[in-house]
């Protein structure tokens, strides 16, 4: 009788562990964490005054999961955050303008080109990041 109880208990434990649905790992986790960013900011205005500014920013930023299951929040400077969509292969989409693009190079490097503006002026952020 004791052996039957032990056997029943072992079978119950095995069934419990094999039937439990395992939580799947979020594919975005391999990209999240602290990142070192180098950001080249260019501002161009070719109106009657004609302005040109260029600066390089070094920033310890962060990439985190966004609100939706396919979003990443990329904080690449103190005042600059971009939310992009990502698929399991690492391809990024839903950039702020048609002139913007970017990609991950493996899991530890990212390159983004962001551009806004028109009608004689624009702002460009060229972002290179390395995961810490």
């Amino acid at each position: 009788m004791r052996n039957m109880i032990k056997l029943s208990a072992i079978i119950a434990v095995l069934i419990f562990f094999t039937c439990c649905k395992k939580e799947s790992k979020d594919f975005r986790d391999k990209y999240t964490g602290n990142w070192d960013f180098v950001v080249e900011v260019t501002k161009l205005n070719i109106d009657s005054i004609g302005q040109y500014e260029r600066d390089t920013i070094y920033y310890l930023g962060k990439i985190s999961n966004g609100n939706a299951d396919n979003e990443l929040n990329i904080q690449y400077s103190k005042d600059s955050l971009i939310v992009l969509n990502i698929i399991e292969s690492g391809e990024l989409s839903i950039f702020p303008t048609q002139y913007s693009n970017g990609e991950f190079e493996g899991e530890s490097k990212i390159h983004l080109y962001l551009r806004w503006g028109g009608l004689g002026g624009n702002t460009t952020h060229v972002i290179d990041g390395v995961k810490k």
Side-chain angles (χ1 to χ4, degrees):
M1 184 68 168
R2 276 186 158 203
N3 289 338
M4 189 64 122
I5 293 174
K6 282 183 181 181
L7 181 61
S8 297
I10 291 171
I11 290 173
V13 168
L14 289 174
I15 290 173
F16 175 76
F17 283 113
T18 58
C19 291
C20 290
K21 183 178 179 184
K22 294 180 182 170
E23 194 172 313
S24 62
K25 184 171 170 71
D26 191 330
F27 73 92
R28 299 173 296 172
D29 290 345
K30 60 186 169 187
Y31 304 107
T32 61
N34 294 322
W35 288 71
D36 278 326
F37 290 106
V38 177
V39 185
E40 292 181 17
V41 178
T42 305
K43 295 180 182 179
L44 175 65
N45 185 353
I46 56 174
D47 63 5
S48 61
I49 299 172
Q51 292 178 287
Y52 178 81
E53 297 176 32
R54 187 167 184 173
D55 194 11
T56 302
I57 301 167
Y58 300 90
Y59 185 74
L60 176 60
K62 187 171 192 166
I63 297 180
S64 58
N65 292 336
N67 293 332
D69 290 342
N70 63 341
E71 286 182 345
L72 282 180
N73 298 325
I74 303 172
Q75 181 82 41
Y76 62 91
S77 78
K78 178 182 173 191
D79 300 319
S80 300
L81 169 79
I82 186 167
V83 179
L84 298 175
N85 284 9
I86 185 169
I87 60 175
E88 286 196 43
S89 67
E91 184 178 332
L92 298 169
S93 62
I94 314 296
F95 287 89
T97 68
Q98 66 185 10
Y99 306 108
S100 301
N101 61 65
E103 65 184 353
F104 280 101
E105 297 173 20
E107 298 173 11
S108 60
K109 289 185 180 181
I110 188 170
H111 176 79
L112 299 172
Y113 176 85
L114 307 176
R115 181 177 167 194
W116 302 268
L119 299 175
N122 65 58
T123 300
T124 304
H125 293 183
V126 178
I127 305 151
D128 286 300
V130 177
K131 191 171 185 179
K132 297 216 29 114

